[in-house]
Amino acid sequence: SGCSGGGGTAARGPAPSPSGLVHYTPATGSPAPAASPLTTAPKECVKTAGMSVEQLTGYLKDLRSTSGDYQTKGLKLDSSGLNFTPEDIKRPCEAVSVKLAHYWVDLKKTHKADAISGARYEYAYTLIGTASHTAGPQDGRVPDTAPPDASVCRGTVSVAYLGPDIPLRALPYDLTLVDTTAPAPVKVDGDGVLSAIYVSPPNPDLC
C-alpha cells in the first residue's frame, strides 16, 4: 500500500537536477541485491518537498497514471477514495499531502419530467468534514478516504484539493442524476482542485 502515514519516504540518491528529477529506489524490508549487469536502473522521481502549493498542484494535475492513457490521473478519487497509481518516471520521491473534503448533497425536485423537459432539482450542500491525507510514493489506496454512502434523496460530493478550502458556491449545481450509486467525475471550480466525484442517491426521481 504505502499510502498512509508519512514515514515511508523513499531513499534518495544524488542531488536533484535543474528539472527536479532525481534517482529513486523504492525502500524494501531487505538489503538491496548486489549490483550486476542485469540489475534494473533506478527509477527517476520528482522531488516535491520544496514545491510551493501552486507548483505541487500543477505537478499533481499533470501526473499521469500507469495506464498511459491521455488525461488519466495518477492521483484521483474513485469508489474507494484516493487512488495513487502514477507512471514510474515522474512519481514523487516522497509522500505528498492533499486535502479531502466530503459534502452531503440534499436533492429536492422542483419540476417533474414531462414531454418537453426532464425533471429539475434544487441542491443543498452541507460540509461533512475536511482532512489531510498522504499518498505515495508507492502505489495504493489511501485508507479512510472513501465517499460516504448515499441515502434517500441525499448524495455526496468528494473533492481532493490543495490550497484554500472549497467554498460551497464552487460546487456543481448541474449534477446529472442517474439510477446508480457508482461515483461519477464532476467539475469543481478552483485552481487547487485535483479530483472530484459525485455519488447519486438511489432513485432520485422519487425525491
Side-chain angles (χ1 to χ4, degrees):
S1 59
C3 288
S4 61
T9 304
R12 279 169 272 175
S17 64
S19 67
L21 290 176
V22 300
H23 290 294
Y24 160 72
T25 304
T28 64
S30 58
S36 72
L38 299 178
T39 300
T40 302
K43 298 172 183 177
E44 288 184 321
C45 65
V46 176
K47 184 174 177 60
T48 60
M51 288 185 178
S52 66
V53 171
E54 292 76 14
Q55 289 172 327
L56 184 58
T57 300
Y59 162 70
L60 291 175
K61 283 184 176 182
D62 291 339
L63 189 62
R64 297 289 174 258
S65 74
T66 50
S67 71
D69 294 337
Y70 178 64
Q71 290 188 335
T72 57
K73 299 294 186 180
L75 177 65
K76 67 177 183 179
L77 285 166
D78 58 24
S79 59
S80 297
L82 280 169
N83 186 18
F84 187 75
T85 55
E87 56 186 2
D88 285 338
I89 193 170
K90 293 183 179 179
R91 70 173 56 241
C93 300
E94 51 273 310
V96 294
S97 179
V98 300
K99 296 179 182 178
L100 176 62
H102 297 295
Y103 303 85
W104 293 123
V105 189
D106 289 299
L107 308 180
K108 181 180 179 181
K109 186 183 292 185
T110 59
H111 181 272
K112 293 183 178 180
D114 54 34
I116 300 175
S117 63
R120 291 195 293 270
Y121 297 82
E122 288 181 349
Y123 310 102
Y125 284 99
T126 304
L127 177 65
I128 301 171
T130 302
S132 293
H133 300 273
T134 54
Q138 284 77 29
D139 293 357
R141 297 181 185 275
V142 180
D144 303 319
T145 58
D149 291 333
S151 59
V152 177
C153 296
R154 171 175 274 189
T156 64
V157 164
S158 300
V159 187
Y161 65 101
L162 295 174
D165 288 341
I166 307 297
L168 294 182
R169 66 178 179 275
L171 299 173
Y173 287 85
D174 55 350
L175 298 169
T176 300
L177 303 181
V178 292
D179 290 326
T180 175
T181 56
V186 291
K187 177 177 173 55
V188 173
D189 293 330
D191 293 337
V193 175
L194 302 172
S195 181
I197 57 173
Y198 166 62
V199 179
S200 176
N203 303 315
D205 191 54
L206 302 178
C207 297

